[in-house]
Amino acid sequence: MKFIDEFRDPAAVRALVEKIRRDAGDPPMRLMEVCGTHTASIARSGLRSLLSGAVSLVSGPGCPVCVTPDGYVDAAIALGHKPGITLTSFGDMLRVPGKRSTLEKERAKGIDVRVVYSPLDAVALAAAEPDREIVFLGVGFETTAPAIGGAIRTASDRKLKNFSVLPSVRTIPEAMAILARDPEIRIEGFLCPGHVSVVIGTQPYEELASKHHIPCVVCGFEPLDILLAVSMLLRQKKEGAARVENAYPRGVAPEGNRKAREVIAEVFAPCDTGWRGIGVIPGSGLRISDRYAAFDAERKHGVPVIFAMEDTPCRCGDVLKGKILPPECPLFGKACVPEEPVGPCMVSTEGTCAAYYKYGGGLR
Amino acid sequence: MTAGKASATDRILLSHGEGGKRTRELIGTVISRYFSNPVLAPFFDSGLLGRIDGEIAFTTDGHVVSPAFFPGGDIGRLAVCGTVNDLAVCGARGIAISCGLVLEEGLPIETLERALAAMRDAAAEAGVLVACGDTKVVEKGKGDGIFITTAGVGVMVDGWRPSPEAVRPGDRILLTGTMGDHYVAVLVARQRLSLSAPVLSDVAPVGGMILPLLERFGSRVRFMRDPTRGGVGVTLNEMASSAKARFVLDEERLPVRESVRGVCEILGFDPLYLANEGKALLIVDPSAAEDALAALREHPLGREAAIVGTVEEGAPGVRMRTLAGGLRAVDYPVGDQLPRIC
Amino acid sequence: MCLAIPAKVLSIEGDNAMIELGGTQREASLMLLEGVSVGDWVIVHAGFAIEKLSEEDAAQTFALLKEIMESGSDEVH
């Protein structure tokens, strides 16, 4: 397939892996793949086994499902139990544990949850079923925020009264800055999230490079993209440099997508928000702006999302911060498995724990 | 469209399932027009199959699919193929199947007839008799139009038995064609995700393709399974645990249709875990693997057959040598795959 | 976090496009992207086209690869 298969070419992958192994230092450079799709792609393509010993890849907080607090799931469930409400969601959210239950389990008890591919499908559903209140579970980062915003704007233009969004939208650079400042984490290079960067461009990473002296390379999602970005980070280390580079030029323009950012600016407003396992990060969230308050499910239906740090032996927080690898958590593979996840990192396909469990972390 | 007296109504009524006059009418004027053979015809309480020479295999399978009609097949064809394929992968040629219908009140009789016609055609294709049947009707809202349960009896290829315990390192893993066609055809037909893709279900009876291999290669074909629900990924995991063996797949060799890949890329699905209804997985001694592959490819259902992996030394389970040259685990998925953003 | 795929634009009607990947088609919104024409390749996420793809930009990746593969190779031999 065009723009896919060229970037999976086995011969090129092999050559690049050899090159990385030759250039790798000792101890291995400690890199963080911020984005969960990177985590999943690395695991699925077996890159972790190819790179083991050459670079140390730790996974960051870049899976929106994983960092969505359990209070959000609880609020969604509470909404779903109100009469007349239909919840719509990306498939990822269905098995995410709240404090006591999941949307999948509550669906079996009778709440109406429908999986959609696009937020616009939820708007179409609202138009088709005017007697139901359609609530979209708007989870995502900067990549998805414009799509959620676009859906809200569409519903507003169409004057739909029965559509609202329960937002759980976060922005990545603020979280990366927190991780960069944490001396325990010791990140030596960031693989920056490619599709977030499609929207925000490369500029937001400049401070990480200049202030924290951490090399940053924007990275695509095919095996060659990831290996290229790893090589570029190794090269920066060798040079003693810390700059922002773009290994995903076919997707990411340095200035990002202005139109998408305009939609975000119109529909959302920045706020402080809690990240599951990490805590509240100032300015890292997007709430629905007052202009579109009528489409904010939290305000419309009076179901607040309450954030509290969980009291649990689950170490997803440390996994999300790259402090430990999943097998170092006492629950991993025992009390916490994909069928009955304790922590969110085990839920999403791109959750770090799930990727480790499913594809085998340091597999021989 | 509907025949004779039953057409006093053109929809299924509760009374069609109550054993009285309408039940007789439905059987006499509708069902018997599709299934007419000497075993079924007398409508005894059992189909009398007579003496059967050989070892007997017996299986059952319930069929629910929404929508009941989809590109490449329908619930009737599925109900026949599901059962005869379960026989075939155990080395048995199907002789007779049963047909248990659970119909929802209000189902158009024309829809029932389409499903019956498909069953008739698939049974002829697979060479089995529909030997007995039963019809029940549930109230409107308590079923999904039509459910079909079939049980099947078959005779084993002489001297052959599935032998997972005979699997050895070096054995080859053969897959008879592309992955995920059935699942994707049904998913697209559901129209909930507004996708369109030129994909036909692969639903077909596989006995004609795989049973001759048993006659020719005997126990060099160790054992076989059909990768239905859960797809190749789940079925291979089950096979690996029954064989207590380590299967290593070659990603490069796994056949996937371009349009199925397209759907998978869009929704974030893995074709390894998507259902098939006309495929088989075979574990074959290396000395027979190439010839078995050639024979499969000569059959119309096996043109895209491939040797997709090897049995290797090591802890039991399934691994995959990826396109990139890495190695990873292939595990059981949790439930159905759902379209995802991440 | 963000699964997005390259797809070709088959037709455009207002703010909506029909996009295609490997023979599979779906509608996608063009609300977030300017200047899209039929025949363009775009990156689609959650039903929205979020960026255009071009052959030249793809070639840049291969140029970067070439540059990386050639860098520091003298130390090896």
Side-chain angles (χ1 to χ4, degrees):
Chain A
M1 276 172 195
K2 200 168 153 70
F3 292 112
I4 295 181
D5 292 342
E6 308 92 296
F7 300 95
R8 294 180 185 172
D9 176 39
V13 165
R14 260 193 302 279
L16 201 43
V17 166
E18 276 166 31
K19 166 82 181 156
I20 288 171
R21 298 199 77 94
R22 278 201 305 270
D23 292 352
D26 188 28
M29 189 177 181
R30 194 170 152 83
L31 307 179
M32 175 176 275
E33 86 269 2
V34 177
C35 170
T37 308
H38 284 146
T39 306
S41 177
I42 287 167
R44 218 186 133 180
S45 56
L47 289 187
R48 202 174 292 282
S49 71
L50 290 173
L51 295 178
S52 86
V55 290
S56 161
L57 288 168
V58 298
S59 309
C63 157
V65 170
C66 301
V67 295
T68 293
D70 56 3
Y72 178 85
V73 177
D74 296 339
I77 289 172
L79 265 175
H81 279 290
K82 291 192 165 209
I85 285 187
T86 291
L87 300 178
T88 49
S89 171
F90 298 125
D92 319 44
M93 281 305 293
L94 259 69
R95 296 185 185 118
V96 178
K99 282 199 180 57
R100 270 175 301 277
S101 189
T102 65
L103 290 167
E104 188 182 42
K105 288 177 185 165
E106 295 302 306
R107 182 160 71 179
K109 292 184 197 161
I111 73 171
D112 187 11
V113 186
R114 304 190 206 172
V115 171
V116 293
Y117 168 72
S118 166
L120 284 178
D121 298 346
V123 175
L125 188 66
E129 300 191 20
D131 298 337
R132 305 277 308 167
E133 168 73 17
I134 307 299
V135 177
F136 179 70
L137 304 181
V139 172
F141 291 122
E142 290 96 328
T143 322
T144 316
I148 299 168
I152 291 175
R153 206 162 75 173
T154 304
S156 171
D157 291 347
R158 294 173 68 175
K159 302 195 166 42
L160 293 177
K161 301 273 180 250
N162 63 328
F163 176 80
S164 57
V165 170
L166 188 66
S168 181
V169 185
R170 290 176 177 70
T171 51
I172 279 287
E174 290 77 7
M176 288 171 76
I178 295 270
L179 298 171
R181 279 199 290 271
D182 191 328
E184 265 186 74
I185 302 175
R186 295 177 291 105
I187 298 299
E188 295 179 274
F190 279 119
L191 293 165
C192 299
H195 289 143
V196 161
S197 307
V198 164
V199 174
I200 68 175
T202 57
Q203 194 279 328
Y205 308 115
E206 291 293 347
E207 201 180 290
L208 294 168
S210 59
K211 203 164 130 196
H212 300 285
H213 203 75
I214 299 179
C216 291
V217 176
V218 174
C219 179
F221 298 90
E222 300 302 336
L224 269 185
D225 293 319
I226 293 168
L227 293 171
L228 174 63
V230 168
S231 317
M232 289 165 76
L233 286 169
L234 283 172
R235 182 172 66 182
Q236 286 200 40
K237 187 184 183 188
K238 207 172 190 178
E239 295 168 359
R243 56 180 182 267
V244 179
E245 292 180 302
N246 184 0
Y248 191 34
R250 71 181 180 285
V252 175
E255 69 280 10
N257 180 336
R258 186 186 46 81
K259 208 170 170 192
R261 286 200 305 276
E262 280 170 10
V263 172
I264 295 179
E266 180 188 323
V267 179
F268 295 101
C271 64
D272 300 345
T273 201
W275 296 52
R276 192 169 192 156
I278 295 179
V280 173
I281 303 178
S284 70
L286 292 172
R287 63 176 183 81
I288 294 174
S289 65
D290 294 341
R291 177 175 165 191
Y292 289 99
F295 297 92
D296 183 347
E298 223 177 319
R299 281 182 265 185
K300 185 174 181 181
H301 301 289
V303 177
V305 175
I306 297 159
F307 178 74
M309 287 297 279
E310 300 105 273
D311 179 21
T312 160
C314 164
R315 295 191 63 191
C316 274
D318 290 335
V319 172
L320 290 171
K321 284 185 268 189
K323 285 188 181 175
I324 64 166
L325 291 176
E328 295 170 57
C329 170
L331 305 183
F332 178 80
K334 300 183 189 87
C336 182
V337 291
E339 301 83 286
E340 281 297 328
V342 176
C345 299
M346 189 58 94
V347 177
S348 163
T349 323
E350 65 168 28
T352 312
C353 295
Y356 259 76
Y357 188 89
K358 191 163 180 234
Y359 301 115
L363 189 82
R364 285 277 66 94
Chain B
M1 291 297 274
T2 57
K5 290 178 225 159
S7 66
T9 164
D10 56 5
R11 285 178 184 273
I12 291 294
L13 308 176
L14 278 175
S15 54
H16 279 125
E18 283 163 359
K21 212 168 173 181
R22 278 206 201 278
T23 307
R24 298 303 307 164
E25 266 176 21
L26 185 70
I27 293 169
T29 60
V30 179
I31 296 176
S32 66
R33 283 197 296 121
Y34 295 92
F35 304 140
S36 57
N37 61 64
V39 177
L40 185 70
F43 285 102
F44 293 144
D45 283 335
S46 302
L48 306 181
L49 297 176
R51 277 182 197 284
I52 298 173
D53 191 22
E55 285 194 75
I56 303 292
F58 179 43
T59 188
T60 184
D61 207 347
H63 299 275
V64 298
V65 58
S66 178
F69 298 83
F70 44 83
D74 58 78
I75 192 165
R77 184 169 172 82
L78 196 60
V80 173
C81 296
T83 288
V84 297
N85 288 349
D86 283 346
L87 292 172
V89 292
C90 282
R93 187 174 297 103
I95 297 177
I97 62 168
S98 67
C99 168
L101 298 169
V102 177
L103 309 177
E104 186 183 3
E105 180 185 18
L107 178 79
I109 288 179
E110 191 200 339
T111 306
L112 171 64
E113 294 203 38
R114 281 173 64 200
L116 294 174
M119 279 189 87
R120 174 197 61 202
D121 296 346
E125 195 178 330
V128 289
L129 290 177
V130 178
C132 53
D134 176 57
T135 306
K136 295 285 188 298
V137 179
V138 295
E139 281 172 49
K140 195 160 182 63
K142 303 222 164 140
D144 189 15
I146 177 166
F147 299 147
I148 306 179
T149 300
T150 50
V153 174
V155 178
M156 303 281 294
V157 168
D158 252 349
W160 193 85
R161 273 200 156 264
S163 310
E165 68 286 349
V167 170
R168 296 283 171 274
D171 285 355
R172 302 288 192 265
I173 303 161
L174 274 65
L175 172 62
T176 62
T178 50
M179 300 189 293
D181 300 12
H182 175 72
Y183 184 94
V184 168
V186 171
L187 180 81
V188 169
R190 259 175 220 161
Q191 292 184 328
R192 284 191 205 134
L193 299 169
S194 317
L195 290 168
S196 74
V199 182
L200 300 180
S201 167
D202 58 345
V203 56
V206 299
M209 168 173 60
I210 60 175
L211 292 173
L213 299 184
L214 306 183
E215 282 159 8
R216 186 166 156 202
F217 299 107
S219 60
R220 286 195 289 164
V221 178
R222 313 284 194 223
F223 82 126
M224 311 185 287
R225 289 284 308 274
D226 57 336
T228 52
R229 263 185 311 190
V232 167
V234 165
T235 306
L236 278 178
N237 266 287
E238 291 169 356
M239 293 174 85
S241 50
S242 65
K244 299 187 182 61
R246 180 189 184 88
F247 292 174
V248 181
L249 298 175
D250 215 337
E251 185 172 24
E252 211 170 356
R253 292 171 180 238
L254 285 167
V256 185
R257 231 173 265 296
E258 185 86 344
S259 44
V260 169
R261 258 187 79 193
V263 170
C264 286
E265 295 285 348
I266 292 172
L267 301 178
F269 287 1
D270 187 339
L272 260 183
Y273 298 112
L274 303 181
N276 311 279
E277 291 292 347
K279 299 291 162 21
L281 280 160
L282 299 81
I283 312 297
V284 179
D285 184 289
S287 68
E290 289 296 336
D291 291 340
L293 178 67
L296 288 172
R297 285 187 170 168
E298 271 171 30
H299 193 278
L301 295 177
R303 299 224 187 287
E304 283 142 312
I307 296 176
V308 297
T310 311
V311 180
E312 292 186 8
E313 301 274 1
V318 185
R319 302 281 184 270
M320 180 185 284
R321 191 123 28 234
T322 65
L323 218 50
L327 192 67
R328 68 159 168 98
V330 174
D331 198 7
Y332 291 98
V334 180
D336 218 0
Q337 299 186 85
L338 297 166
R340 57 195 178 89
I341 49 154
C342 54
Chain C
M1 60 201 82
C2 304
L3 201 67
I5 48 112
K8 190 176 184 174
V9 176
L10 295 182
S11 60
I12 297 176
E13 219 185 295
D15 244 0
N16 281 315
M18 187 57 76
I19 54 132
E20 191 240 300
L21 177 67
T24 296
Q25 298 181 15
R26 202 197 187 274
E27 224 176 61
S29 170
L30 299 178
M31 196 192 295
L32 304 176
L33 202 54
E34 268 160 3
V36 179
S37 329
V38 171
D40 284 351
W41 283 78
V42 291
I43 299 179
V44 178
H45 170 74
F48 287 78
I50 55 172
E51 188 55 271
K52 282 207 270 185
L53 282 159
S54 72
E55 300 279 355
E56 301 86 77
D57 294 338
Q60 272 191 51
T61 305
F62 291 105
L64 282 169
L65 272 170
K66 190 158 178 283
E67 181 194 313
I68 274 285
M69 289 305 292
E70 285 165 4
S71 71
S73 53
D74 48 354
E75 295 162 37
V76 180
H77 299 291

